[in-house]
Amino acid sequence: VAEFADQHSLSAGAGCANRQCIIDMLTRKMASSRKREVYGVIGDGQQEERTVAAAPSISLVDTFAALGEIDGLEALGSLFLAMRAAPLLLDGTDIGAALEPTLLGNKNFKNVSLKTTWVVSVPLEQTNQLVSRPLRGRVLNSASEKLRRWGVVLFERAIDGAAATSGGQELMHELETGPTYPFVNIHGRNLRHDYPLSLSFRQQAVTGPTGSLDGAGPRLFEASLGVVAPLLKATLGSGAQLVEFGLLAAMPGAHEQPRHSDNNQWVFAPGNPSESSALCLTIFVSLVDVGPNLGGLDVWLGTHTAHLKALNWSDQQRLVDATPALRMSVPAGSIVVMDSRLQHRGSANTEGPPPGRARPVLYHTWMSSTGRRPRGSTYSIRKQYTARDDEGGLTEPRTPLKGHVFRLEEVLDSSYRARADLLDKEHADWAAQEP
């Protein structure tokens, strides 16, 4: 309730003169409508009684409906259910028994996508230049908490929208007319392209419809890091490794992807971090204004937790079907930071009459230095930015190049630029000699 009030400065139309008044009002209504009921069957078959919220009073529903957020209220109830039910299932609870007595009954949210992004949004001071302001203080704390709780956090207009759009046009021009690297094989690849990008300013200079922009990819890469680097450090620790860097483009007519998790085969070993899977965070930078039908990212909040990953995939899906997705319909220059364990999908691009328009997004993924590389991700990155290891590495066996893995500290002081130039040149020279 407090978060909702902060986001919308609630006062008008609610019979209250200030934020605290409406918080008190809504909290009283929620507390007065609580009751005790059987929550589910746990462990050896004993029933557990818990205090849960009953159906909201009419006045509370009307209050939220008047603010245009009734779908958000219902979504929060569904998310609360999923987050509380998942730990019970680890004790062998039947999923049907766990879900049956809920307020939502048999309602299935499998194909529902909400547009209320305020739940995961952290406001930033807007900037009119590409150079970004890093997260700090209360903003960083709020972002860390939302990422921990929901598995995703949104920063609207974190970098200048015009600069993001211009860079996106350059990158789409390269993708469509002269890609310098093979696309990655992803679901629906005919109309959904995953194109690994170069980190080199020198090698990626292109001339497109908006003129010449030297290194659109690395410039947007550095600008987004300028915002989220403190969050990466706080979550992943020191020595985080770059494991993905590319451009995702949902072309006109692209179909909806199946719901999936990039790191679903994630292992949690309590008390033994080195045996657990490493944590990964993916940063998405929107390069256009994303409307609700332009193939935006759908996320299922709270599906990144260790107790959910302990369930088999079919049980996860039965639980998550009771939870609606949140669609990231965001303006150009917005940044989404997502835990790679979170269940998500690319939605269908059906906007407007033919020929429509593409939805490009620049992305980069960082992995903690502690733990084993989790399985399941495509690890879309150019082979020269990887290194071989005993787990099968990312570099193709036939490639004689050693490669190099970039760490966050190296990138932040810009010392990576010269190495990226050298790696790209070595790879280009080797590729030219291939039969």
Side-chain angles (χ1 to χ4, degrees), residues 194-207:
D194 186 353
Y195 176 48
L197 292 174
S198 169
L199 281 168
S200 171
F201 281 79
R202 181 168 58 188
Q203 295 294 319
Q204 202 193 14
V206 295
T207 301

Side-chain angles (χ1 to χ4, degrees), residues 288-343:
V288 294
D289 291 333
V290 180
N293 300 313
L294 194 64
L297 176 69
D298 280 348
V299 296
W300 277 263
L301 305 186
T303 55
H304 64 302
T305 55
H307 58 248
L308 189 69
K309 295 304 174 191
L311 303 175
N312 63 49
W313 183 250
S314 61
D315 282 350
Q316 287 186 41
Q317 299 322 294
R318 292 179 63 190
L319 181 61
V320 177
D321 280 349
T323 303
L326 185 67
R327 180 158 300 172
M328 293 297 173
S329 299
V330 296
S334 297
I335 295 176
V336 173
V337 180
M338 183 186 79
D339 189 310
S340 295
R341 297 171 295 178
L342 196 73
Q343 294 189 32

Side-chain angles (χ1 to χ4, degrees), residues 162 164-174 176 208-210 287-288 360:
T165 300
S166 176
Q169 290 174 339
E170 298 290 346
L171 293 174
M172 285 299 297
H173 178 76
E174 179 182 339
E176 294 176 324
T210 61
L287 304 180
V288 294

Side-chain angles (χ1 to χ4, degrees), residues 85-118:
L88 297 179
L89 303 184
L90 295 181
D91 294 326
T93 303
D94 177 73
I95 292 181
L99 297 183
E100 183 178 3
T102 67
L103 306 179
L104 300 176
N106 295 320
K107 187 165 184 178
N108 190 307
F109 285 96
K110 186 174 183 179
N111 296 311
V112 176
S113 296
L114 302 174
K115 314 302 189 295
T116 49
T117 56
W118 61 267

